[in-house]
């Protein structure tokens, strides 16, 4: 399994455990490492990164994340 996929899975796990700050950190790393040709995965990471940012109290940054993946 790719490193970015592992980070994404861990980030989603942290999001489900109500730890949005750690989820943001992990999802940002996944986004940075995900290959550009994996468009659907990049879209998914951006979507969940937006959710984590919103839950962490960064609603404006969450909106930018969602807009970048649309």
């Amino acid at each position: 399994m790719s490193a970015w996929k592992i980070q994404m899975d861990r980030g989603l796990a942290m999001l489900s455990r109500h730890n949005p700050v750690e989820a943001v950190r992990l999802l940002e790393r996944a986004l940075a490492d995900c290959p550009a040709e994996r468009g659907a995965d990049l879209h998914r990471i951006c979507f969940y990164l937006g959710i984590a940012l919103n839950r962490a109290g960064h609603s404006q940054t969450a909106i930018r994340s969602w807009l970048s993946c649309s």
Side-chain angles (χ1 to χ4, degrees), residues 2-9 26-46:
S2 302
W4 66 267
K5 176 76 170 126
I6 293 169
Q7 297 302 321
M8 182 179 74
D9 291 343
L26 291 164
L27 290 169
E28 283 177 338
R29 286 176 53 193
L31 186 61
D33 294 340
C34 185
E37 60 271 2
R38 304 289 305 215
D41 291 318
L42 287 169
H43 178 81
R44 187 170 180 225
I45 294 168
C46 282

Side-chain angles (χ1 to χ4, degrees), residues 31 43 45-51 53 59-70:
L31 186 61
H43 178 81
I45 294 168
C46 282
F47 176 75
Y48 284 109
L49 178 58
I51 291 172
L53 285 164
S59 59
Q60 293 298 316
T61 308
I63 291 170
R64 283 192 290 264
S65 178
W66 290 323
L67 288 174
S68 71
C69 71
S70 61

